[in-house]
Amino acid sequence: MQRRYLNNNIYTSISRLEKYASCPFSYHLRYGLNIKDRGNGTNNNLANIGSFMHEIIKETFDYIKENNINENITKEGLPKKDIYALKEEIVKNNDNELKENLEKYINIIYKIVRDSIKKVKEKEQFEDFKFKKNNEIILNKVEKQMNKICLDINEGIRLSGFKILKNEATFGTGKRDYENIIYEITDSSRIYLEGAIDRIDIGDLNEFRIIDYKSSDKNIEIPKVINGLSLQLITYLSVIEKKLNLKPTAMLYKRLLYGLESKKEKLDEKEILKKSKKDLKMSGKLIIQDDKSIEELYIHDTNLGFEGKVKSEVIDIEKTKDNNIMKTKFKNILVKDEYENIRDIVIEKIKDLSKNILDGNVDIYPYKYYSGNKKEIPCDFCEFKKICKHSKTKNKFRIIKK
């Protein structure tokens, strides 16, 4: 018997549970029958590129953490404004001293990134990937982007009141940072979850947040969370909250891949700075005690502490001239009671999904998610759609509405 169903217990990961919530039959084919997509290897290449980038980021920010780089940069006089705002100031005021300080900071980060790339390329896990045809071109492109990617990630740390607690925090058996996440399904069965968090940040008063790196734009949609389709961040947040007795303040995504301009699009310096600023921003949910506790948001961007109208470049929050949060931005905030309610629903959903897996429920029953005028179904991207032949018009979907 495979270990994942040993003694009526389940040993699995959050991503596999999300796969089951997406469509039980697709989960069964992939993880029950172990059927794999025999494609052209593109998915494996993408996975390797993602792993390569994550490893560079980990090496870079382990060094930044261990050597107090951000603290030293602040001590040396670089203002806590984002680099693109500082570049605008330099152009406007012809400030050579600020220019020198900013260039020094950028060059420090770039050197750390270069050294990290060299180190990662020598790791055994990337040897086979590195020497395959066409991969060298891809790797060169990725390496060129890593300077900006890591600089943008670091701005989200440097401008905040947080420090890195852990990069690539892992859960599971063996050499992991934390033990398995365990939930009781019934009196006689449990689920043991393993996985990893890209980054955990901690503040001076035991506040913490978690950040997950994504290759493209992603946000937290609560209907997807409570229906088991997006379990990762809130599960990890609640587990770290309990294990380390810390105060949760945010679960965020940071996009990694982006392009400044297309071949058809030529931008001047101001336009490039404007577009670059957008790359700093993290998406997700921020958590505060109640509607009146907006000062708790300032730890994510110290610039929010200034009086009057302020737009954060690192989180999706804006303040009015009266020091209130703009009404359109409250969608990015959860008060404590809301977070705890969603957290408890998610724990029960994990148990429910696990029980259904143990009971052998593997029906062809994908979800259909309605968000405004858009609808989303997993069948469009499913590797097994030629096997199940699920019809968009004749067969049933599990309906989820935003």
Side-chain angles (χ1 to χ4, degrees):
M1 183 176 286
Q2 295 184 37
R3 187 173 184 272
R4 63 174 172 269
Y5 301 123
L6 188 62
N7 296 328
N8 214 32
N9 295 323
I10 299 179
Y11 295 80
T12 189
S13 65
I14 291 289
S15 61
R16 291 188 178 193
L17 282 183
E18 290 173 342
K19 179 75 167 174
Y20 184 83
S22 173
C23 176
F25 187 67
S26 179
Y27 169 90
H28 175 61
L29 294 178
R30 180 65 185 87
Y31 300 114
L33 301 181
N34 202 30
I35 297 174
K36 296 180 181 179
D37 182 16
R38 300 184 184 277
N40 58 13
T42 301
N43 288 338
N44 287 334
N45 262 3
L46 291 173
N48 280 320
I49 292 167
S51 298
F52 182 68
M53 292 175 68
H54 274 70
E55 198 65 26
I56 293 168
I57 292 168
K58 182 181 184 302
E59 290 289 344
T60 297
F61 286 95
D62 277 347
Y63 185 94
I64 287 171
K65 174 180 180 285
E66 291 162 10
N67 293 276
N68 299 315
I69 297 298
N70 287 322
E71 292 83 351
N72 294 335
I73 289 294
T74 300
K75 284 178 184 177
E76 290 177 12
L78 187 69
K80 277 207 169 189
K81 296 181 181 179
D82 71 82
I83 55 171
Y84 305 111
L86 293 176
K87 285 180 179 181
E88 289 171 345
E89 280 189 27
I90 290 166
V91 172
K92 183 179 178 180
N93 302 321
N94 196 25
D95 191 330
N96 289 325
E97 184 180 351
L98 178 58
K99 182 180 179 182
E100 187 177 322
N101 276 338
L102 181 60
E103 286 178 350
K104 182 180 179 182
Y105 162 59
I106 291 172
N107 288 333
I108 287 171
I109 300 300
Y110 284 4
K111 183 181 185 306
I112 296 169
V113 174
R114 286 196 303 272
D115 291 344
S116 297
I117 289 171
K118 288 178 185 177
K119 192 173 180 180
V120 171
K121 286 177 82 171
E122 297 305 314
K123 293 193 175 186
E124 186 178 346
Q125 70 205 76
F126 298 111
E127 282 298 308
D128 291 340
F129 172 67
K130 188 169 65 175
F131 295 111
K132 286 181 180 177
K133 288 182 179 180
N134 300 324
N135 285 353
E136 188 176 346
I137 297 170
I138 296 169
L139 287 177
N140 286 337
K141 288 182 178 178
V142 170
E143 286 176 31
K144 286 178 182 177
Q145 290 199 56
M146 289 311 299
N147 278 336
K148 176 170 166 50
I149 288 168
C150 290
L151 187 60
D152 286 351
I153 290 172
N154 195 59
E155 285 297 272
I157 303 167
R158 185 179 73 86
L159 299 179
S160 76
F162 287 103
K163 297 178 182 178
I164 297 170
L165 176 65
K166 186 71 181 176
N167 291 302
E168 288 282 343
T170 54
F171 296 88
T173 54
K175 294 182 179 180
R176 306 292 181 100
D177 299 302
Y178 306 102
E179 295 176 351
N180 289 97
I181 303 166
I182 304 172
Y183 296 115
E184 286 192 5
I185 306 169
T186 67
D187 291 340
S188 59
S189 60
R190 292 180 173 184
I191 179 169
Y192 295 78
L193 292 169
E194 63 180 18
I197 307 170
D198 286 331
R199 199 176 87 226
I200 308 171
D201 292 344
I202 191 166
D204 292 335
L205 300 175
N206 285 336
E207 313 98 323
F208 85 104
R209 65 183 184 180
I210 61 172
I211 291 90
D212 188 42
Y213 302 131
K214 292 295 180 186
S215 58
S216 58
D217 286 321
K218 187 169 182 179
N219 212 330
I220 295 174
E221 299 175 83
I222 298 303
K224 283 189 170 184
V225 173
I226 61 177
N227 280 280
L229 302 172
S230 184
L231 298 168
Q232 186 182 35
L233 288 189
I234 194 162
T235 303
Y236 291 152
L237 192 77
S238 64
V239 169
I240 294 297
E241 174 189 11
K242 186 175 180 181
K243 282 183 180 289
L244 302 185
N245 193 27
L246 299 175
K247 178 185 176 182
T249 65
M251 39 187 171
L252 301 168
Y253 291 114
K254 176 67 183 78
R255 180 170 62 106
L256 297 184
L257 293 178
Y258 33 68
L260 272 181
E261 54 182 299
S262 68
K263 291 180 180 178
K264 295 180 181 178
E265 183 183 33
K266 294 297 177 183
L267 305 176
D268 62 25
E269 188 173 353
K270 284 186 178 180
E271 290 170 323
I272 289 173
L273 287 175
K274 187 177 178 181
K275 288 195 78 172
S276 296
K277 272 191 175 187
K278 294 179 181 178
D279 298 329
L280 292 173
K281 196 152 288 182
M282 295 178 283
S283 60
K285 296 295 182 186
L286 304 152
I287 302 165
I288 57 177
Q289 183 67 31
D290 52 50
D291 290 338
K292 297 179 181 178
S293 305
I294 64 168
E295 294 87 357
E296 293 180 11
L297 298 171
Y298 299 173
I299 189 171
H300 299 285
D301 184 351
T302 53
N303 290 290
L304 289 169
F306 291 116
E307 287 292 315
K309 188 174 182 179
V310 181
K311 178 183 178 181
S312 173
E313 299 298 344
V314 291
I315 56 172
D316 195 10
I317 291 293
E318 290 183 50
K319 249 178 37 172
T320 66
K321 62 182 180 181
D322 300 319
N323 292 312
N324 297 315
I325 298 300
M326 286 184 65
K327 290 181 180 178
T328 57
K329 300 301 178 182
F330 269 101
K331 65 183 179 182
N332 303 317
I333 298 171
L334 296 173
V335 299
K336 184 183 177 185
D337 288 346
E338 288 176 321
Y339 156 68
E340 290 179 348
N341 182 48
I342 295 166
R343 177 198 65 193
D344 294 345
I345 291 171
V346 164
I347 291 172
E348 291 306 311
K349 174 57 71 172
I350 288 172
K351 294 177 182 179
D352 181 56
L353 292 170
S354 304
K355 187 176 185 304
N356 276 290
I357 291 171
L358 284 177
D359 289 344
N361 296 329
V362 291
D363 295 337
I364 301 173
Y365 195 34
Y367 74 90
K368 183 182 286 186
Y369 177 58
Y370 290 93
S371 177
N373 295 324
K374 296 179 181 179
K375 63 181 177 182
E376 172 187 309
I377 58 172
C379 310
D380 290 338
F381 307 100
C382 182
E383 65 268 44
F384 305 119
K385 58 186 175 184
K386 290 182 180 179
I387 296 175
C388 81
K389 297 181 181 178
H390 186 274
S391 169
K392 294 181 183 179
T393 55
K394 295 179 182 178
N395 297 110
K396 290 182 179 180
F397 287 92
R398 182 165 64 98
I399 304 299
I400 301 169
K401 293 183 179 181
K402 190 169 184 178

